[in-house]
């Protein structure tokens, strides 16, 4: 991911462009009419909803992909009356779904467990009768599956890591690889279909998009349609016709190419564009998804009632705006020639010299716990007055955050450096002058007993740092995000404790070993919390070589996400427990547990905490407040926290309640969404508290 560039959008240009384009579209709309109309299959939705790749599964039912603003992408069954049945959540689909007997087959983007830029595309199948999903193969790169009419042959487009492309042909139950075919020439195969026993593919070449035919008898490729500068996608076949979508007339429509007569026909004249297509079981009807301001609806149309207008591949509509803009371009990538002896000189990229690259800033300071953020244990961060600078190198392996904050009279400096270029992520954090230093000693009193005394060294600034190693290992697929994050942390501060055995003060340092596990349902656009999911966190902390001074501490937490009372409402429940093993030791370790909001972190021998958060939207609409401030959503997260803590002297009850109010905004024309808000609450000691919250995708 490249560092973002923040720019102030020219609003006068926006309004002028809107006026010009509106007039252009109005003229085109009147010229292209009349438009193809058909019967809508799905029920009308109030929100923006996208249906794609409708498949006739018999019994008057269709299966299709569905996604909207309230729910993640899913596979649904649609009856003749428009009624829907949820089948399963879907992951990062990267090809059309196809039917093979009682199974729905697709390919899904699967990320490498550790490296973001290393990924695969693997085959999945869903059995409509048993509801069982099976993943076929591992660490492969297969796309755009196609199943022949008899349902006994599966073809996928494969892209080996070494380059080029080809086809893999499976037979039987699709576990047997019968044949592999390399792409014609230096072309890149996009999609595949079988018509009249021959294989037809779309191929990207230097001249554009071509259609090639492979004859099994001749074991060779032949060019059926020379390269054209337009899109051809969603290949389907019926008898002698190859059906596909193309934008050759400026809008995506359905076309039919007869492979025997080489006759091209335009079947639809959609007003805004066709998204995907499918055929009925008998081939006499076509299902397609048609765009409107509410999304993509599923339309059914009898084959005989389609346009069947003669068309020519070479007759491609030019966009006048694109043509004018291309004239002003410095060069055309299609015609550029690289000289044999270029004048420029290549230079090696020096990682060390390019590790710092400042790209943006924010007028406040906040610190995000990377592990809790990755495992969905924490979503929003509290902020302080100040500022923060962001740096990210070109390789996106090194991030630096430097900032200043002010709180309770302390001017503090902060530094956080993260390097992701090795298998374990290396992270270093340093904070200076957040408070004054502390000295700890042991006090024995007849009334209060034995306890550790904290003395503040006024005028001596506190310094704290930590070095951590962690590996975010992800196993996300099928619409769920899951993973495990082992971690190791070393922490040092200039707080000191008096060692009676050594008769001197020593600075505090500790080692912490932890592991986080999580599995949550991917969030829809309007979700605040994941609708479903759970997570677990375990940590153990100790002070090495401390002798009689420190024991050890363990901490664990379990959190659960549940659906709320309505769409995009969410409930988060969390239980945490920590215990010190300090028998015969002088001091207690610093707590790992986060105590209820409104309380300072404190020492404890054991502590049990219960937390509940309920999130729901207040306003979900786009509101342009000023030319530089755009509001997308307002939502509330009421919370209640309870804790029983066994402190140094007694057991205490801590509790607080309150609510977060958050705003999703775009500011100064920045395309990246920002979330800002405020937390207000009240604790058991009848004290109120206020915190500012912030979230950014950086």
């Amino acid at each position: 991911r490249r560092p973002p560039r923040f720019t102030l959008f020219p609003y006068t240009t926006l309004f002028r462009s809107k006026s010009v384009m509106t007039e252009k579209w109005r003229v085109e709309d009147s010229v292209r009419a009349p438009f193809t109309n058909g019967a809508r299959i799905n029920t009308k939705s109030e929100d923006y909803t996208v249906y794609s790749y409708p498949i006739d599964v018999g019994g008057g039912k269709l299966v299709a992909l569905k996604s909207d603003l309230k729910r993640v992408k899913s596979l649904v069954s649609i009856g003749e009356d428009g009624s829907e049945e949820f089948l399963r959540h879907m992951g990062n689909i990267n090809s059309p779904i196809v039917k093979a007997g009682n199974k729905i087959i697709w390919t899904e983007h699967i990320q490498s467990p550790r490296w973001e830029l290393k990924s695969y595309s693997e085959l999945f199948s869903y059995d409509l009768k048993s509801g069982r999903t099976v993943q076929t193969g591992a660490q492969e790169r297969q796309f755009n599956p196609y199943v022949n009419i008899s349902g006994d042959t599966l073809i996928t487009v494969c892209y080996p890591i070494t380059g080029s492309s080809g086809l893999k042909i499976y037979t039987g139950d699709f576990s047997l690889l019968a044949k592999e075919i390399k792409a014609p020439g230096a072309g890149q195969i996009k999609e595949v279909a079988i018509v009249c026993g021959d294989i037809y593919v779309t191929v990207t070449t230097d001249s554009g998009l071509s259609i090639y035919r492979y004859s099994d008898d001749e074991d060779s490729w032949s060019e059926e349609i020379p390269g054209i500068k337009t899109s051809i996608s969603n290949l389907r076949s019926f008898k002698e016709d190859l059906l596909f979508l193309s934008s050759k007339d400026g809008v995506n429509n359905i076309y039919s190419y007869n492979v025997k007569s080489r006759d091209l026909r335009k079947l639809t004249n959609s007003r805004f564009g066709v998204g995907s297509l499918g055929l009925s079981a008998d081939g006499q009807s076509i299902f397609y998804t048609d765009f409107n301001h509410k999304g993509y609806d599923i339309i059914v149309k009898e084959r005989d009632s389609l346009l069947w207008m003669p068309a020519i591949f070479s007759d491609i509509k030019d966009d006048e705006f694109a043509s004018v803009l291309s004239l002003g371009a410095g060069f055309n990538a299609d015609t550029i020639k690289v000289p044999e002896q270029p004048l420029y000189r290549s230079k090696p990229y020096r990682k060390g010299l390019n590790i710092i690259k400042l790209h943006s800033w924010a007028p406040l300071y906040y610190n995000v716990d990377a592990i809790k953020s990755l495992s969905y244990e924490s979503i929003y961060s509290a902020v302080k007055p100040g500022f923060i600078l962001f740096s990210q190198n070109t390789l996106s392996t090194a991030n630096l955050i430097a900032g200043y904050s002010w709180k309770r009279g302390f001017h503090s400096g902060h530094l956080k450096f993260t390097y992701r270029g090795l298998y374990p992520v290396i992270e270093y954090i340093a904070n200076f002058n957040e408070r004054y230093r502390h000295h700890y000693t042991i006090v024995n009193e007849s009334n209060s007993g034995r306890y550790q005394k904290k003395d503040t060294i006024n005028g001596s600034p506190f310094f704290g740092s930590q070095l951590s190693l962690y590996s975010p290992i992800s196993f996300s697929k099928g619409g769920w995000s899951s993973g495990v994050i082992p971690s190791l942390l070393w922490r040092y501060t200039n707080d000191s404790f008096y060692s009676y055995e050594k008769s001197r003060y020593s600075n505090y340092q500790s080692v912490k070993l932890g592991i986080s596990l999580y599995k949550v349902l991917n969030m829809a656009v309007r979700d605040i919390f994941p609708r479903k999911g759970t997570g677990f966190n375990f940590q153990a902390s100790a002070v090495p070589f401390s002798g009689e001074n420190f024991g050890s501490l363990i901490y664990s937490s379990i959190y659960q996400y549940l659906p709320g009372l309505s769409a995009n409402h969410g409930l988060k429940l969390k239980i945490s427990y920590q215990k010190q093993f300090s028998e015969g030791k002088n001091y207690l370790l610093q707590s790992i547990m986060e105590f209820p909001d409104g309380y300072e972190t404190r020492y404890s021998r054991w502590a049990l905490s219960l937390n509940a958060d309920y999130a729901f939207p207040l306003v979900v609409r786009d509101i342009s407040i000023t030319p530089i401030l755009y509001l997308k959503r307002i939502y509330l997260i009421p919370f209640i926290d309870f804790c029983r803590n066994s402190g140094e002297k007694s057991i205490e009850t801590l509790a607080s309640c309150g609510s977060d109010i958050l705003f999703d905004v775009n500011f100064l024309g920045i395309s990246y969404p920002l979330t800002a808000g405020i937390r207000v609450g009240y604790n058991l000691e009848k004290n109120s508290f206020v915190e500012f919250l912030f979230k950014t995708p950086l």
Side-chain angles (χ1 to χ4, degrees), residues 337-347:
K337 294 182 179 180
V338 179
E340 295 182 1
Q341 296 181 342
L343 299 177
Y344 60 84
R345 294 176 57 191
S346 61
K347 296 185 297 182

Side-chain angles (χ1 to χ4, degrees), residues 458-609:
N458 291 325
S460 179
F462 165 80
F463 172 76
S465 66
Q466 66 181 45
L467 176 67
S468 58
L469 305 177
Y470 62 90
S471 295
I473 303 171
S474 172
F475 304 102
S476 303
K477 63 181 179 181
W480 291 80
S481 295
S482 59
V484 56
I485 309 174
S487 61
L488 175 65
L489 181 145
W490 170 77
R491 185 170 184 264
Y492 169 84
T493 76
N494 61 353
D495 285 340
S496 57
F497 59 91
Y498 187 78
S499 174
Y500 292 89
E501 187 178 89
K502 298 179 180 179
S503 300
R504 62 180 173 85
Y505 281 98
S506 298
N507 288 342
Y508 180 86
Q509 55 183 320
S510 64
V511 175
K512 184 167 62 177
L513 183 67
I515 187 168
S516 298
L517 301 97
Y518 65 94
K519 183 176 182 179
V520 299
L521 183 65
N522 292 343
M523 293 197 294
V525 175
R526 289 181 179 170
D527 280 342
I528 304 169
F529 289 162
R531 279 183 60 80
K532 299 178 183 178
T534 187
F536 171 75
N537 184 2
F538 175 83
Q539 298 181 50
S541 180
V543 177
F545 314 113
S546 65
E548 86 287 3
N549 294 300
F550 290 94
S552 59
L553 179 150
I554 60 170
Y555 163 85
S556 64
S557 68
I558 299 176
Y559 51 97
Q560 180 80 36
Y561 287 102
L562 298 169
L565 300 176
S566 184
N568 308 120
H569 289 218
L571 174 65
K572 178 187 177 185
L573 302 174
K574 180 179 177 181
I575 180 171
S576 308
Y577 177 78
Q578 75 174 14
K579 179 175 175 56
Q580 296 256 9
F581 298 92
S582 57
E583 292 296 327
K585 302 295 182 179
N586 293 329
Y587 301 96
L588 296 175
L589 283 92
Q590 294 184 356
S591 294
I592 298 175
M593 177 180 288
E594 294 179 350
F595 290 92
D597 289 310
Y599 292 92
E600 296 289 341
T601 299
R602 55 198 62 207
Y603 290 92
S604 72
R605 301 185 186 278
W606 61 263
L608 176 66
S609 174

Side-chain angles (χ1 to χ4, degrees), residues 98-105 123-125 136-137 140 142 145-148 150-156 168-178:
V98 295
K99 178 178 176 291
N102 292 319
K103 295 181 179 180
I104 302 298
I105 297 176
L123 274 170
F124 287 78
S125 66
T136 305
E140 297 190 61
Q142 303 191 69
Y146 177 86
V147 178
N148 65 348
S150 59
D152 58 4
T153 301
L154 168 68
I155 305 179
T156 63
K168 287 188 175 182
I169 302 177
Y170 299 88
T171 57
D173 60 353
F174 306 149
S175 61
L176 177 63
L177 179 60

